Amino acid sequence: MLPHLPGTANTSTPVVVGSAAFVKMQILMPGETAAPGSATGKTGTPTARTAGTAFTIIVNAVDAYWNKVPTVTDMVHIATTDANGVVPADIALANGTMTFTNKVTLKTPVTTTTITVTDVTDGAKTADTSPALTVNVGAFVKLQILLTGETAAPGTTAGKTGTPTAQVAGATINVTVNAVDNVWNVITSATDVVHFASTDVNADLPANTALVGGTINLTATVKTAGSRTITVTDVTNPAKTNNTSGSVTVSAGAFVKLQLLLPGETAAAGTATGKTGTPSVASAGTPLAVTVNAVDAYWNKK
């Protein structure tokens, strides 16, 4: 009996396999790589993002098996579940693809943000949505100050909503200070000591105070009528950007007393005595020009 001999293998000549019809979109996040022909069309897992830091995404027009269709020039639209996120404007694909280099910025630190691409030119093409992305808070770069009437709004341009509530001289204002990243997310690890100053030089301001969990809630008292602001600076690390509040309109309080000013004296609302200077020497028998003001408890004229 002759021994069994293995059959001789044979390999075909190369077969060119082109993509099939364009049926859907594909979106790739940092950490993902296209894998045409596989079940999901890609490999890898999206890497975590940092709030406020731009990153790159890739969009492809693909067939049912995730092969890129190079003839497609449809307009595509990018959207995100991050209400404050920044995405590129609608744009046409070139040769079935488009790389958006550092065109996407997410601002809200959560673990559920997604990004979706849709076909604007042909709405029948299937959209594609990224896996859930983890967005981490950025580095501590600046301070935020909020007064009565203002509310923090991380991720927005201003970082807050509302307007400082108008006050009467002598009123107590609530002051909140936050350590934040470049898009106003609170840095809960910050414990820096902060300092307060105001355009109301007579205001009662908090002493230097350390943040706890990246924030602090204090009070201040304004005494001088006019448009006033409060500024917070970082004592521990002056390189952190300071922040100045919105303007507070301070009006005079109730009329409670009279003020008499002699020549040489000048009104100084908000100070302890309500005036500066010393009465000029008068000559016997010479009339004096005096000023009388109706003022509130802090010497603001009514």
Side-chain angles (χ1 to χ4, degrees):
M1 184 176 179
L2 294 174
H4 175 72
L5 297 175
T8 302
N10 186 248
T11 300
S12 72
T13 57
V15 177
V16 176
V17 180
S19 58
F22 168 36
V23 297
K24 58 187 177 182
M25 304 301 307
Q26 178 186 54
I27 189 167
L28 300 171
M29 298 292 105
E32 295 183 314
T33 302
S38 65
T40 62
K42 57 187 174 181
T43 60
T45 302
T47 53
R49 302 289 90 206
T50 298
T53 300
F55 61 95
T56 299
I57 65 171
I58 298 172
V59 169
N60 295 318
V62 294
D63 65 14
Y65 303 98
W66 304 103
N67 296 292
K68 186 169 65 176
V69 183
T71 57
V72 177
T73 57
D74 289 17
M75 293 283 292
V76 295
H77 174 74
I78 308 297
T80 177
T81 54
D82 184 343
N84 298 310
V86 176
V87 295
D90 294 357
I91 193 170
L93 299 176
N95 300 317
T97 189
M98 179 58 65
T99 298
F100 295 95
T101 303
N102 292 332
K103 295 294 186 181
V104 178
T105 302
L106 302 176
K107 297 183 179 182
T108 308
V110 294
T111 60
T112 57
T113 300
T114 58
I115 299 174
T116 298
V117 58
T118 56
D119 189 313
V120 177
T121 304
D122 183 355
K125 299 299 190 260
T126 302
D128 191 31
T129 298
S130 73
L133 303 171
T134 295
V135 183
N136 297 318
V137 173
F140 171 25
V141 296
K142 58 187 177 183
L143 294 170
Q144 176 185 56
I145 186 168
L146 303 169
L147 303 185
T148 302
E150 297 180 309
T151 303
T156 62
T157 301
K160 58 186 177 181
T161 60
T163 304
T165 303
Q167 304 290 338
V168 173
T172 297
I173 301 174
N174 294 320
V175 179
T176 298
V177 175
N178 295 318
V180 294
D181 65 12
N182 69 335
V183 287
W184 307 103
N185 294 298
V186 175
I187 310 300
T188 57
S189 60
T191 57
D192 290 20
V193 174
V194 296
H195 171 76
F196 299 89
S198 176
T199 54
D200 180 356
V201 296
N202 302 304
D204 290 335
L205 300 172
N208 291 359
T209 306
L211 301 173
V212 178
T215 190
I216 197 82
N217 294 297
L218 301 164
T219 59
T221 302
V222 286
K223 298 180 179 179
T224 311
S227 181
R228 308 300 174 191
T229 60
I230 299 176
T231 297
V232 60
T233 57
D234 192 312
V235 177
T236 304
N237 186 354
K240 304 302 184 192
T241 302
N242 61 23
N243 190 224
T244 297
S245 72
S247 295
V248 181
T249 299
V250 182
S251 58
F255 168 35
V256 296
K257 56 188 176 183
L258 293 172
Q259 178 186 56
L260 177 65
L261 299 174
L262 300 179
E265 296 181 315
T266 303
T271 63
T273 62
K275 55 187 175 182
T276 59
T278 303
S280 303
V281 175
S283 300
T286 301
L288 296 179
V290 300
T291 300
V292 176
N293 295 321
V295 295
D296 66 9
Y298 299 94
W299 304 102
N300 294 289
K301 188 165 65 175
K302 290 294 292 181

